[in-house]
Amino acid sequence: MSETSPRLRAVLDDIPTYKPGKSAETGGPVGYKLSSNENPYPPLPGVLESVTAAACSFNRYPDMACTGLMSELSERFGVPQSHLATGTGSVGVAQQLLQATSGPGDEVIYAWRSFEAYPIITRISGATSVQVPLTPGDVHDLDAMADAITDRTRLIFVCNPNNPTGTVVRREELERFLDRVPDDVLVVVDEAYREFIRDAQVPDGVELYRRRPNVCVLRTFSKAYGLAGLRVGFAIAHEPVAAALRKTAVPFGVSQLAQEAAIASLRAEDELLGRVGSLVCERTRVVEALRAQGWTVPETQANFLWLRLGERTMDFAAACEQAGVVVRPFPGEGVRVTIGEAEANDILMKVTEVFPKER
Ligand SMILES: Cc1ncc(COP(=O)(O)O)c(C=O)c1O
């Protein structure tokens, strides 16, 4: 057999493979998974029924135009259908956005640390990442991000709330930043955790999009709506961008099961948002308890919190696993912990109670 392998693109050489949150089964003795910012509630019976019904015809391709879902979303957000595009999770839509805007020689700006898919999908597109460090308080440094714009900038991600820190940027500073971005640069406001926000000063990205043709909002059914396993997300953007997203979509990427589940979830929104409310209460309980124990916890508006543990990160993650909860460590930096069911959160708080706060 020949030693030569097919030629692959050189950019793949230094792309880190996306690292999913570790599963509970391979973790500790009890096994609560607090590592992937998932919704701990099981599917609502009505949503499950609609998925089961759709399963009877999965010998057929799904509706490629996602007609029913588009019509529900259009009504729910008060936007024309031509301003909507769906994809295989919002990460799928983010990748389509890069394919539509950026290639070799172009630059993509985002805060760092932020969602770990950004560097991967940027590299795959052939464009160059421009990572702008978070402020010492773990918030987007929007002034520095605006300063980083060059003639080569094609796309800017603003992750609000930011994964993994949970921190937010507020209306005034975001508007000021957007005023500084040239009209031909696309700003993607990634609102994967929008429904968990309780800070009234945080703008709804959809409001920004209505007044600014270069703003695109990313949303997902994976988090608040609990459909992570079905892979459906969407973008709200002005027509040229939304049309480009339809061109770059994987044909039939969003399954009929996902489409029906998303429609049923929008119709059961009150109940689902009630669950989000309970998770937000849990968030408050956990953050207050950790602070009372002496931890520094950045203000989080998402369904997770961030502990900047530095060199002690892996020890903390191991202690959590030992106790029965799997968290998401970023070696040398910190740990992201999803707010889960109360029992899981209680285990976390037991670990934080005894784990040394400072070396
Ligand atoms: C900030 C952010 N954006 C997008 C996503 C992608 O979610 P999905 O592809 O499931 O919609 C995630 C998932 O963790 C995220 O944290």
Side-chain angles (χ1 to χ4, degrees), residues 19 37 49 88 114 152 194 219 242 288 333:
K19 201 168 166 235
N37 297 344
E49 268 166 38
T88 54
S114 189
R152 295 178 172 199
R194 168 74 211 165
R219 296 279 182 99
E288 283 177 0
E333 290 181 64

Side-chain angles (χ1 to χ4, degrees), residues 96-283:
Q96 290 166 240
L97 283 165
L98 279 160
Q99 283 175 329
T101 59
S102 310
D106 297 334
E107 292 175 351
V108 175
I109 299 176
Y110 51 87
W112 199 250
R113 179 170 278 280
S114 189
F115 182 34
E116 66 181 305
Y118 298 156
I120 299 173
I121 58 181
T122 300
R123 198 85 181 99
I124 292 172
S125 76
T128 303
S129 280
V130 178
Q131 301 185 336
V132 178
L134 297 170
T135 65
D138 288 316
V139 180
H140 275 58
D141 188 341
L142 290 178
D143 288 335
M145 287 174 72
D147 290 343
I149 297 171
T150 69
D151 287 348
R152 295 178 172 199
T153 309
R154 294 289 173 275
L155 185 149
I156 305 173
F157 283 111
V158 177
C159 190
N160 205 27
N162 187 47
N163 175 5
T165 56
T167 50
V168 287
V169 287
R170 300 193 168 81
R171 184 169 288 107
E172 216 172 292
E173 53 184 327
L174 191 48
E175 294 272 15
R176 202 173 52 231
F177 166 75
L178 291 170
D179 287 342
R180 288 187 63 190
V181 179
D183 293 343
D184 62 354
V185 173
L186 184 68
V187 180
V188 179
V189 186
D190 184 343
E191 296 189 328
Y193 304 95
R194 168 74 211 165
E195 298 81 1
F196 296 91
I197 295 176
R198 291 295 178 271
D199 180 338
Q201 295 306 309
V202 180
D204 182 331
V206 181
E207 271 173 41
L208 303 171
Y209 132 89
R210 288 190 207 283
R211 286 179 283 111
R212 297 181 185 263
N214 65 335
V215 168
C216 167
V217 182
L218 273 188
R219 296 279 182 99
T220 183
F221 283 97
S222 297
K223 311 293 179 180
Y225 296 85
L227 303 184
L230 285 172
R231 314 306 302 128
V232 52
F234 60 98
I236 301 178
H238 289 267
E239 202 147 338
V241 176
L245 284 173
R246 283 190 284 276
K247 287 185 192 168
T248 50
V250 172
F252 306 109
V254 181
S255 73
Q256 201 62 41
L257 278 63
Q259 293 181 38
E260 299 303 335
I263 293 169
S265 300
L266 285 170
R267 292 180 183 165
E269 201 169 36
D270 288 349
E271 201 171 344
L272 289 168
L273 294 183
R275 290 174 161 190
V276 168
S278 305
L279 289 168
V280 169
C281 290
E282 273 297 289
R283 175 177 81 196

